[in-house]
Amino acid sequence: MKQEIIQVNGQAYIAHAFVGRKGFKMLTRLSKIVSPVIAELTKGQTGGQELGMGDVDIGAILKQLFVNGTDEVDDLIFDLVADVQKDGMRIDVDKEFMLNYAALVELAIAVAKFNYQDVFQKLGMSSH
């Protein structure tokens, strides 16, 4: 199974690639919620220029998701990180991200980038 180590706030997490059906269902949910975010992130982008995913403004994402988002956002974030592991065990979101919610969003974004890097590339967004 394909995995990736994701570093968030000095912590190493292991994300696993989604299997086919789960991955596609998550992609459709993600697309519905994230379309306004992608539009916001690509504002001012000139033709042919890639948006570096490492340069993503977490604040802009949070604003789009929580101010202009839907009730499905929280479920999607929890589902994105549901199978993530730390120290060989599945993370306990309630304990791991208490008073550290920006890290939870950052991890969810990293899991999405890992699983959907081909989609981001098709949209002209770098997976780096």
Side-chain angles (χ1 to χ4, degrees):
M1 178 177 281
K2 190 171 180 183
Q3 304 174 338
E4 181 167 290
I5 297 172
I6 298 171
Q7 297 284 332
V8 176
N9 289 348
Q11 299 292 321
Y13 298 95
I14 298 175
H16 302 277
F18 298 141
V19 294
R21 288 178 195 253
K22 176 182 178 178
F24 191 77
K25 286 181 180 186
M26 293 281 285
L27 178 59
T28 58
R29 289 173 58 202
L30 183 66
S31 298
K32 177 182 172 185
I33 294 171
V34 176
S35 293
V37 174
I38 292 172
E40 181 70 24
L41 293 174
T42 57
K43 278 185 182 175
Q45 187 177 347
T46 59
Q49 178 184 8
E50 287 191 353
L51 175 64
M53 292 304 290
D55 300 327
V56 168
D57 180 357
I58 298 291
I61 290 173
L62 289 174
K63 180 180 177 188
Q64 283 294 323
L65 290 178
F66 297 117
V67 173
N68 304 321
T70 70
D71 294 335
E72 300 168 346
V73 172
D74 54 345
D75 288 336
L76 178 63
I77 289 173
F78 296 138
D79 288 346
L80 283 167
V81 301
D83 295 324
V84 172
Q85 295 181 338
K86 177 181 160 188
D87 300 329
M89 297 178 62
R90 189 176 289 176
I91 59 172
D92 180 343
V93 173
D94 290 330
K95 293 178 182 175
E96 187 74 21
F97 299 105
M98 185 184 328
L99 301 175
N100 199 9
Y101 303 109
L104 172 61
V105 173
E106 188 175 339
L107 179 61
I109 291 168
V111 170
K113 287 179 359 185
F114 166 58
N115 278 281
Y116 303 114
Q117 56 191 312
D118 64 327
V119 176
F120 288 126
Q121 289 171 350
K122 295 283 183 190
L123 293 172
M125 300 170 75
S126 172
S127 63
H128 305 294

PDB file of all heavy atoms in Angstrom, residues 2 36 59 76 89 99:
ATOM      1  N   LYS A   2       0.524   2.225  -0.797  1.00  0.00           N
ATOM      2  CA  LYS A   2       1.319   3.446  -0.911  1.00  0.00           C
ATOM      3  C   LYS A   2       1.077   4.345   0.294  1.00  0.00           C
ATOM      4  O   LYS A   2      -0.049   4.544   0.725  1.00  0.00           O
ATOM      5  CB  LYS A   2       0.960   4.170  -2.198  1.00  0.00           C
ATOM      6  CG  LYS A   2       1.891   5.299  -2.508  1.00  0.00           C
ATOM      7  CD  LYS A   2       1.653   5.873  -3.874  1.00  0.00           C
ATOM      8  CE  LYS A   2       2.642   7.005  -4.091  1.00  0.00           C
ATOM      9  NZ  LYS A   2       2.445   7.662  -5.355  1.00  0.00           N
ATOM     10  N   PRO A  36     -14.709  26.620  -4.367  1.00  0.00           N
ATOM     11  CA  PRO A  36     -14.549  28.052  -4.067  1.00  0.00           C
ATOM     12  C   PRO A  36     -13.153  28.389  -3.533  1.00  0.00           C
ATOM     13  O   PRO A  36     -12.632  29.471  -3.785  1.00  0.00           O
ATOM     14  CB  PRO A  36     -15.601  28.322  -2.994  1.00  0.00           C
ATOM     15  CG  PRO A  36     -16.561  27.194  -3.077  1.00  0.00           C
ATOM     16  CD  PRO A  36     -15.787  26.028  -3.602  1.00  0.00           C
ATOM     17  N   GLY A  59      -4.838  30.596   6.004  1.00  0.00           N
ATOM     18  CA  GLY A  59      -5.845  31.550   6.446  1.00  0.00           C
ATOM     19  C   GLY A  59      -6.934  31.753   5.405  1.00  0.00           C
ATOM     20  O   GLY A  59      -8.119  31.797   5.737  1.00  0.00           O
ATOM     21  N   LEU A  76     -15.756  16.067   6.200  1.00  0.00           N
ATOM     22  CA  LEU A  76     -14.733  15.807   5.192  1.00  0.00           C
ATOM     23  C   LEU A  76     -13.340  15.833   5.815  1.00  0.00           C
ATOM     24  O   LEU A  76     -12.517  14.951   5.565  1.00  0.00           O
ATOM     25  CB  LEU A  76     -14.815  16.813   4.045  1.00  0.00           C
ATOM     26  CG  LEU A  76     -13.742  16.652   2.972  1.00  0.00           C
ATOM     27  CD1 LEU A  76     -13.858  15.307   2.273  1.00  0.00           C
ATOM     28  CD2 LEU A  76     -13.820  17.788   1.967  1.00  0.00           C
ATOM     29  N   MET A  89       0.147   3.938  15.299  1.00  0.00           N
ATOM     30  CA  MET A  89      -1.257   3.817  15.689  1.00  0.00           C
ATOM     31  C   MET A  89      -2.079   4.896  14.988  1.00  0.00           C
ATOM     32  O   MET A  89      -1.574   5.983  14.711  1.00  0.00           O
ATOM     33  CB  MET A  89      -1.408   3.984  17.206  1.00  0.00           C
ATOM     34  CG  MET A  89      -0.692   2.913  17.997  1.00  0.00           C
ATOM     35  SD  MET A  89      -0.836   3.164  19.780  1.00  0.00           S
ATOM     36  CE  MET A  89      -2.593   3.032  20.001  1.00  0.00           C
ATOM     37  N   LEU A  99      -6.747  22.200  20.900  1.00  0.00           N
ATOM     38  CA  LEU A  99      -6.119  23.529  20.868  1.00  0.00           C
ATOM     39  C   LEU A  99      -5.098  23.671  19.731  1.00  0.00           C
ATOM     40  O   LEU A  99      -4.208  24.514  19.777  1.00  0.00           O
ATOM     41  CB  LEU A  99      -5.449  23.854  22.209  1.00  0.00           C
ATOM     42  CG  LEU A  99      -6.374  23.860  23.423  1.00  0.00           C
ATOM     43  CD1 LEU A  99      -5.575  24.070  24.696  1.00  0.00           C
ATOM     44  CD2 LEU A  99      -7.443  24.933  23.273  1.00  0.00           C
TER      45      LEU A  99
END
